[in-house]
Amino acid sequence: MQDQRSVTRAALATERSRLESLIEHLDEGLLLLDPERCVLLANPVARELLGRTAADLVGQRAEDLSRESSLLRDLFQPLLAQHSVRAEETLPPVLLTITRPDGEVAYYQLTVNHIVSRNRETARTEFVGHILSLRNVSDFKKLDEVKSNFLATVSHELKTPLASINLSLMLLQDERTDPEERLRIADGIRDETQRLLGMVGQLLAVSRLDAGAGIQLDLQPITLSAVVEYATDTVQPQLDDKELQLRVELPAGLSTARADVEKTTWVLINLLANAIRYSPRGAVLTVRAVQYPEQLEISVQDCGPGIPAEYHERIFQRFAQIPNASGHKGGSGLGLSISREFITAQGGRLWVESTPGEGSQFRFTLPRAS
């Protein structure tokens, strides 16, 4: 019997040690309470989030702890709000906003579960306590915010040209509109239609990339001077509308690049459109090309408000929006993300160099044709 008890005690100790190790290394915050709502256990993650040591929590009643801080009050509120405990009752999860010790704001989903145990002697299920778990859902919260911002941005971007087209059509149907005005209105409808098509094209490109279709490239030697000429001709009406001057600085004897002419032109047009959007009326824009032994570099310099250093990488993320105090209306947040993916797929690199108040220079490289 002594040998049997020793074996049983050793097995129980091993199992307890295994369970404690599991709880200690969980990436979720975990608190265990007894039926009287007294804390029996708090794992390291929970102690860090609550800013308390084990001695501050273990042995304390939930009612008493809830008076110490607003975070502890929010943590125990779902449990304390229950007047009676039913084992089969499941409390709805609660979203808590917690400022971590490093100052970062994080979102945690609080789940409260009742612990029940089966008593073999009485053949009944007995209530033995509560488990409170805190799961970090910050990434999901951020994704939800991105989705909401994306829907709001796309709705706004679609609504503006559609409203303009609708108004233009009403003017065209008005018999009092003279022929010259009708031509001008038709040009406006064409521009707004091109804007809509461009946005739909961006959304389709993103959906293809997300679906794993990848980027279909037609790599061949291309003349960058022809790409620059086509792109500048495309945005010339926008330049004229804002009375902007465009300087093109291409070195003589510029080598050919190995790239996809369609996607490279799309990227350059997108960069030029952004430069036009953020530059003040009458400013000067510059397109440059530089030749290196193994690659060619194209840059677009604007005279806009500039971009703070902390946003130099963020602007290339999908649907990214940065604080804009200049009053300029931003785009959908897709153009730069797609542009970088197009350039990267061709073996190049796209980045920005900018200082607030001094404009921005977007630069990308492409491999030279052998």
Side-chain angles (χ1 to χ4, degrees), residues 3 6 94 98 138 223 254 269 343:
D3 292 341
S6 298
V94 178
I98 300 177
S138 299
T223 305
L254 185 62
I269 291 175
I343 295 299

Side-chain angles (χ1 to χ4, degrees), residues 256-269:
T256 57
R258 179 170 177 76
D260 185 304
V261 62
E262 179 184 351
K263 292 177 175 57
T264 302
T265 305
W266 188 95
V267 170
L268 185 54
I269 291 175

Side-chain angles (χ1 to χ4, degrees), residues 52-265:
R52 297 289 193 278
T53 64
D56 295 332
L57 296 172
V58 176
Q60 301 295 318
R61 291 173 56 84
E63 291 87 346
D64 299 330
L65 289 172
S66 65
R67 302 187 187 101
E68 295 184 5
S69 69
S70 59
L71 176 56
L72 287 168
R73 183 180 65 250
D74 294 339
L75 176 68
F76 293 116
Q77 177 60 32
L79 186 61
L80 298 177
Q82 272 193 312
H83 299 292
S84 61
V85 176
R86 289 180 294 176
E88 70 277 4
E89 183 178 3
T90 301
L91 297 178
V94 178
L95 184 65
L96 299 180
T97 303
I98 300 177
T99 302
R100 299 174 60 89
D102 57 5
E104 180 184 356
V105 176
Y107 299 93
Y108 282 81
Q109 179 176 282
L110 169 64
T111 304
V112 179
N113 293 306
H114 304 309
I115 310 173
V116 295
S117 177
R118 180 73 174 179
N119 191 321
R120 295 183 179 179
E121 295 182 0
T122 62
R124 293 180 179 179
T125 299
E126 299 177 349
F127 168 69
V128 295
H130 313 270
I131 287 183
L132 278 65
S133 63
L134 291 166
R135 180 186 180 192
N136 192 338
V137 293
S138 299
D139 290 340
F140 298 101
K141 180 69 173 178
K142 291 176 182 178
L143 286 175
D144 188 59
E145 291 176 353
V146 166
K147 180 192 71 173
S148 300
N149 292 337
F150 166 68
L151 291 175
T153 300
V154 171
S155 299
H156 174 76
E157 289 290 322
L158 292 176
K159 181 179 179 180
T160 301
L162 287 174
S164 177
I165 291 173
N166 185 54
L167 178 60
S168 298
L169 290 174
M170 292 175 60
L171 292 174
L172 284 178
Q173 293 173 344
D174 192 334
E175 297 179 354
R176 295 170 295 179
T177 305
D178 58 65
E180 291 186 3
E181 183 67 13
R182 289 176 184 271
L183 291 176
R184 189 189 66 81
I185 293 174
D187 289 339
I189 293 177
R190 180 193 60 194
D191 294 340
E192 295 295 349
T193 302
Q194 290 298 323
R195 180 180 171 187
L196 286 172
L197 289 174
M199 179 176 298
V200 172
Q202 291 180 4
L203 294 174
L204 289 175
V206 169
S207 65
R208 282 179 55 83
L209 293 173
D210 287 342
I215 301 174
Q216 303 297 321
L217 297 176
D218 180 17
L219 298 178
Q220 56 183 317
I222 66 171
T223 305
L224 285 183
S225 58
V227 171
V228 172
E229 181 180 0
Y230 181 85
T232 54
D233 287 345
T234 301
V235 300
Q236 190 61 49
Q238 302 175 49
L239 292 168
D240 295 339
D241 183 60
K242 291 191 68 173
E243 301 176 357
L244 299 173
Q245 302 177 44
L246 180 64
R247 294 177 182 172
V248 179
E249 301 176 2
L250 303 180
L254 185 62
S255 300
T256 57
R258 179 170 177 76
D260 185 304
V261 62
E262 179 184 351
K263 292 177 175 57
T264 302
T265 305

